[in-house]
């Protein structure tokens, strides 16, 4: 097919999202057991919604805010970064963004020149791959070590560095594998960045969701990384605020003005009503985070138990964080994960995400989300047991 002359090469190089494709296909099927979205199913806590309503009623949200975000919110963010991430920050180092995703995009736009390489431990969140391509950079996917719970392959990353490498970008806890990169591994990654003058861009969307004594570590807490790290955070997962589109990034104060040059033409500022909601989220009780974490942990255990009974179909690494896992499909039909997932949807009414969405090393896998009610997990696995085991 001839390429559409109207469309830029950047856009043409980006594949359509399999997640959205599965969602579209799922809509045609009645009573689907839905394990394909990484979206919290809980509603935003009441006190956060009330703060937003009050901000609207008080006439605070009709205009733009400062491009970097309202000062009061940035002040709360620096307290949180100190308390939970061990990052010493100043308000001049914070940019409030439209979710983590806009922060990541703005960071990449500010760093990457045409053809610059960005190393992504793979499989990884597919949006990261698209963000590099839309900035005219080149994603370099370096496989993680699946047999060791998808840990970083530090030697492979070191060997992948070339004169064109500009940055390393990762999410931990990981979407799609649920891996929590260890402090030890991340310190090695920091060494690679410092030795080679590379930036590290982090996506810490699932920072609070770790299990089994695994702990989240922020690479920006290493003082030597001050000039080399851009760390992106979000309210989406921690406070069930997906639709509010609000997050923030932390970077060296000399870099923030450049990141703002990308942020402003796309956004001007983050939605002001959501900034007030985010302020209430940080100032109010943090109990919802604990409650969500408890639910995900228990849902993870249910999912792992149910997967154990399908041991001839799937092999999995136990997720230690996030609310996602990435089993390998042992059947030969799994070689084409898109076909496999579409068939599973059509014939067993279970919606999952094909692993290839997360880079070529994701082929032969599927992604399952456990941020759903446990009944949904059981319904999906009852159907899969019937489908595979008869
Ligand atoms: C790793 C990761 N980063 C970012 C996001 C989206 O974050 P936000 O809603 O803050 O843009 C998601 C959503 O699924 C995610 O899995």
């Amino acid at each position: 097919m001839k390429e559409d002359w109207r469309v830029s090469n950047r856009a043409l190089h980006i594949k359509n999202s399999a997640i959205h494709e599965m969602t579209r296909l799922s809509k045609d099927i009645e009573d689907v057991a839905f394990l394909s979205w990484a979206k919290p199913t809980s509603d935003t806590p009441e006190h956060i919604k009330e703060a937003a309503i009050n901000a609207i009623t008080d006439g605070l949200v009709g205009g733009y805010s400062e491009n970097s975000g309202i000062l009061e919110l940035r002040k709360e963010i620096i307290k949180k970064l100190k308390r939970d991430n061990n990052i010493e920050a100043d308000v001049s180092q914070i940019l409030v963004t439209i979710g983590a995703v806009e922060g990541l995009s703005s960071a990449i736009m500010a760093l990457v020149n045409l053809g610059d390489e960005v190393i992504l431990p793979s499989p990884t969140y597919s949006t990261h791959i698209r963000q590099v391509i839309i900035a005219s950079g080149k994603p370099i996917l370096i496989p993680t070590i699946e047999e060791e719970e998808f840990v970083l392959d530090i030697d492979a990353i070191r060997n992948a560095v070339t004169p064109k490498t500009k940055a390393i970008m990762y999410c931990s806890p990981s979407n799609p594998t649920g891996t929590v990169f260890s402090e030890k591994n991340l310190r090695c990654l920091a060494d690679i960045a410092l030795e080679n003058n590379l930036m590290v861009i982090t996506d810490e969307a699932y920072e609070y969701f770790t299990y089994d004594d695994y702990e989240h570590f922020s690479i920006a807490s290493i003082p030597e990384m001050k000039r080399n790290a851009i760390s992106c955070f979000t309210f989406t997962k921690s406070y069930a605020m997906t639709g509010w589109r609000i997050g923030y990034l932390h970077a060296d104060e000399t870099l923030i003005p450049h990141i703002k040059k990308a942020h402003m033409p796309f956004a001007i500022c983050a939605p002001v009503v959501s900034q007030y909601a985010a302020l209430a989220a940080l100032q109010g009780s943090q109990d919802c985070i604990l409650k969500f974490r408890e639910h995900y942990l228990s849902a993870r255990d249910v999912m792992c138990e149910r997967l154990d009974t399908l041991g001839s179909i799937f092999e999995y690494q136990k997720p230690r964080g996030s609310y996602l896992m990435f089993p390998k499909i042992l059947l030969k039909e799994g070689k084409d994960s898109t076909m496999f997932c579409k068939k599973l949807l059509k014939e067993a009414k279970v919606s999952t995400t094909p692993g290839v969405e997360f880079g070529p090393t994701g082929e032969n896998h599927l992604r399952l989300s456990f941020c759903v009610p446990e009944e949904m997990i059981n319904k999906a696995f009852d159907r899969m047991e019937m489908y595979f085991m008869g």
Side-chain angles (χ1 to χ4, degrees):
M1 198 180 68
K2 208 163 175 298
E3 285 181 350
D4 189 334
W5 61 268
R6 296 169 304 167
V7 182
S8 73
N9 290 339
R10 283 189 302 274
L12 285 171
H13 278 124
I14 293 184
K15 284 196 278 174
N16 290 329
S17 154
I19 301 175
H20 294 150
E21 166 80 347
M22 289 304 285
T23 309
R24 192 182 59 75
L25 294 174
S26 302
K27 287 213 172 97
D28 296 336
I29 294 176
E30 223 181 288
D31 186 32
V32 176
F34 212 68
L35 301 180
S36 49
W37 261 20
K39 180 172 95 64
T41 44
S42 328
D43 194 12
T44 309
E46 286 306 316
H47 68 282
I48 299 177
K49 293 197 276 191
E50 264 165 39
I53 292 165
N54 291 341
I56 294 170
T57 314
D58 295 346
L60 297 175
V61 309
Y64 298 127
S65 69
E66 251 186 86
N67 309 115
S68 301
I70 53 180
L71 184 60
E72 213 184 342
L73 174 58
R74 282 182 290 140
K75 282 185 178 163
E76 281 305 320
I77 289 170
I78 62 173
K79 283 193 222 160
K80 175 269 176 186
L81 287 175
K82 170 98 188 102
R83 184 189 68 219
D84 294 348
N85 305 93
N86 199 21
I87 297 174
E88 293 284 352
D90 178 81
V91 286
S92 60
Q93 300 169 343
I94 306 298
L95 180 65
V96 179
T97 57
I98 307 177
V101 157
E102 190 259 324
L104 292 158
S105 280
S106 294
I108 292 178
M109 292 302 280
L111 298 184
V112 167
N113 283 317
L114 177 70
D116 278 354
E117 295 175 357
V118 178
I119 293 177
L120 303 155
S122 154
T124 194
Y125 182 40
S126 46
T127 301
H128 294 172
I129 303 172
R130 295 192 178 96
Q131 286 169 324
V132 174
I133 297 173
I134 206 81
S136 297
K138 190 170 170 203
I140 305 292
L141 300 172
I142 302 299
T144 50
I145 307 172
E146 175 163 6
E147 306 70 46
E148 296 172 32
E149 299 185 356
F150 296 101
V151 294
L152 291 174
D153 188 338
I154 292 293
D155 289 337
I157 292 174
R158 184 175 274 112
N159 290 335
V161 174
T162 74
K164 288 218 132 245
T165 310
K166 187 63 185 271
I168 304 169
M169 180 179 188
Y170 67 83
C171 52
S172 177
S174 158
N175 176 0
T177 62
T179 306
V180 180
F181 296 147
S182 68
E183 176 175 343
K184 188 164 162 245
N185 252 208
L186 291 175
R187 285 188 181 277
C188 294
L189 201 69
D191 288 343
I192 297 175
L194 292 167
E195 283 157 20
N196 295 283
N197 280 338
L198 304 179
M199 293 301 297
V200 175
I201 306 168
T202 71
D203 178 344
E204 305 184 37
Y206 298 99
E207 59 181 320
Y208 293 110
F209 304 132
T210 64
Y211 319 114
D212 314 321
D213 299 329
Y214 280 64
E215 279 182 15
H216 175 65
F217 178 74
S218 293
I219 207 163
S221 65
I222 303 172
E224 293 77 14
M225 286 296 286
K226 182 175 180 327
R227 286 173 59 81
N228 295 60
I230 302 180
S231 316
C232 299
F233 300 89
T234 179
F235 292 84
T236 286
K237 317 284 175 190
S238 318
Y239 303 96
M241 290 177 70
T242 309
W244 298 78
R245 309 308 306 125
I246 188 82
Y248 55 96
L249 67 72
H250 167 258
D252 180 44
E253 66 281 2
T254 59
L255 207 48
I256 290 284
H258 297 289
I259 302 174
K260 267 174 37 180
K261 290 179 199 164
H263 170 69
M264 282 161 60
F266 285 117
I268 300 184
C269 65
V272 178
V273 66
S274 303
Q275 294 194 49
Y276 282 101
L279 181 61
L282 290 178
Q283 287 177 334
S285 156
Q286 303 298 298
D287 287 356
C288 63
I289 298 178
L290 296 175
K291 220 173 78 212
F292 295 151
R293 187 190 159 278
E294 214 172 284
H295 165 64
Y296 300 145
L297 174 59
S298 140
R300 179 206 64 169
D301 290 343
V302 171
M303 190 170 270
C304 289
E305 264 172 43
R306 298 294 311 248
L307 272 167
D308 288 339
T309 60
L310 288 175
S312 55
I313 316 292
F314 300 115
E315 184 180 275
Y316 69 92
Q317 305 290 322
K318 199 169 197 172
R320 307 298 182 169
S322 81
Y323 41 59
L324 301 154
M325 61 188 301
F326 205 61
K328 185 190 254 174
I329 308 161
L330 300 176
L331 305 177
K332 68 174 188 313
E333 302 90 87
K335 294 265 176 289
D336 182 339
S337 58
T338 307
M339 284 302 287
F340 183 88
C341 290
K342 282 187 179 168
K343 204 160 164 248
L344 193 63
L345 175 65
K346 205 162 154 233
E347 295 176 4
K349 298 212 283 187
V350 177
S351 178
T352 58
T353 307
V356 71
E357 167 79 2
F358 306 95
T361 53
E363 192 50 292
N364 217 8
H365 294 74
L366 45 69
R367 189 190 71 175
L368 304 176
S369 309
F370 48 91
C371 57
V372 293
E374 285 178 20
E375 306 83 77
M376 183 69 88
I377 297 174
N378 282 321
K379 181 155 118 177
F381 277 85
D382 288 348
R383 288 177 184 179
M384 286 198 279
E385 271 179 27
M386 282 283 278
Y387 180 66
F388 291 116
M389 321 290 265

